[in-house]
Amino acid sequence: MSASNRRLLPLAVFALALALRLALIALQNTDDLANFQTGDYTLYRIGGEHICAEGDTSNSLFLARPPLFPLLVCALGTNDRTVLFANAITGALLAPLTIILARQLRLGPRSALAAGLIVALDPASIAYSAFLGAEPLANVTLLVMAVALLHATRAAEGWHAPAWGAAAGLALALSVLSRPAPYLIWTGLSAWLLLTYRRWAVVAAYALVSAAGIGAWIAHNASQFDNPTVSSVGAYNMVYYRAASVENWATDDDMSTIYANLARRVEERLGHDTARVDANTRHTHYAGPAALTNAMMAIAIETFTNHPAEYVMTIPIGLGRMYGYTNVLPGWMTVFEIPWNALLLIGTGVGLWLAFRGREWLLFWAVVLVIGYFTAGTIAVQTSGLDTRMRTMLAPFMAVAAVYALDRWLARRRARAGT
């Protein structure tokens, strides 16, 4: 195959990925676009309308939902259908970017192409690209971060190296401003790269830009809402999803009773009157000052401490939801999707084991650190209300590991055939 044809392959993978996402939109299309959101988009749209009208981020919803996706909604004229198509295009970019990631992790051209095809075909990635949410923007900027950081560490020379490191930090900050989950990932990645490659200038540029970008938003929330945090959603989810699930297993009470009890404990900790607290009180805890966040965190930890066995028991349930199935896909796709997810997960595990045994440390640590960070962070905060939405940012890394496993298996078959 000629070099020019090889260069066209990522474009072909992008075209395939986009076609599948547009096909899902056509398949599930309704006038109200209800099949393309689960309720979160309402806040994003209100945020976009606020930015367009006021030109600032003073609305308390921005404490829960960072501003980059609402800014995109505003830029697209708060037109929901336009936002949906923009997300499909953005989400499709994950597939060709996966090819670049795979090449940086030392996979051959054909294997890298296979990794890109896996992401193009991945049902969860398709579903949450053809979706009214922040995931496409957050996932693409996160992958750009990984690509830029690997290039800075392994390929760039001279002043280009720290410049690429800074670009990686900027991409991470943009990802966090889309969806807050990766806000601490730079710490582990920086430590790994510093210990392994000793590229002090690269790591310093990456860490400083990451910390500055994320810190600026924390400072905004401290000044605007008296809460120095990236997002209040983490504490809310930890008490009203994670702790609520633990309580449900421990007491078998109905969820309304559990929500009311948790909300009452939070209000008591804040020193408020609890006479009128009910299950709906939890909605008033979605965004608030640092005292509210601290109270929710304290009640969640208290619940986990009181029911340690149930806390552990809910972990495999959360993992099964995170890696097992997608809520927003048509029901008939379950027959295909669950085996696909199982094979992808098994392939990832086998690939990591083979990379460990073969001392392919670059691939091993790049994939383990990213997957480990998001998996541990997700399960710490939430085990109920999950699906593969929570692992869509991991699809490129899982695809690389799975293809590496396939490579090793095919190499062994060829070796046996040659003997």
Side-chain angles (χ1 to χ4, degrees), residues 138-336:
N139 295 350
V140 164
T141 47
L142 181 73
L143 187 51
V144 169
M145 179 274 291
V147 166
L149 189 58
L150 287 168
H151 180 74
T153 304
R154 300 190 61 250
E157 300 293 341
W159 66 268
H160 292 93
W164 277 100
L170 176 61
L172 176 60
L174 292 175
S175 184
V176 171
L177 290 176
S178 305
R179 187 168 174 265
Y183 78 103
L184 284 176
I185 198 170
W186 63 273
T187 56
L189 292 177
S190 295
W192 166 53
L193 294 174
L194 199 59
L195 291 171
T196 304
Y197 294 98
R198 310 287 183 179
R199 299 293 296 269
W200 298 90
V202 168
V203 173
Y206 170 61
L208 286 172
V209 174
S210 296
I214 297 166
W217 183 246
I218 292 173
H220 166 275
N221 288 341
S223 172
Q224 193 77 53
F225 308 117
D226 190 27
N227 196 341
T229 183
V230 174
S231 170
S232 59
V233 165
Y236 181 90
N237 287 352
M238 186 172 282
V239 68
Y240 292 114
Y241 284 92
R242 190 72 173 93
S245 177
V246 169
E247 284 277 357
N248 180 248
W249 275 74
T251 66
D252 203 30
D253 287 340
D254 65 88
M255 293 310 300
S256 292
T257 300
I258 289 169
Y259 289 142
N261 287 339
L262 289 170
R264 186 174 296 107
R265 289 162 61 191
V266 170
E267 290 292 316
E268 285 174 351
R269 194 171 188 91
L270 290 169
H272 296 167
D273 179 21
T274 61
R276 296 185 179 182
V277 169
D278 60 18
N280 291 323
T281 303
R282 72 187 190 277
H283 300 306
T284 67
H285 295 165
Y286 201 62
L292 174 59
T293 295
N294 294 338
M296 288 192 291
M297 292 289 289
I299 295 304
I301 293 170
E302 181 182 277
T303 302
F304 304 152
T305 304
N306 291 340
H307 307 293
E310 287 78 10
Y311 180 86
V312 173
M313 288 167 59
T314 54
I315 290 174
I317 297 172
L319 291 173
R321 288 169 172 159
M322 180 177 178
Y323 287 101
Y325 61 91
T326 304
N327 290 329
V328 298
L329 285 171
W332 60 265
M333 289 192 66
T334 303
V335 175
F336 167 75

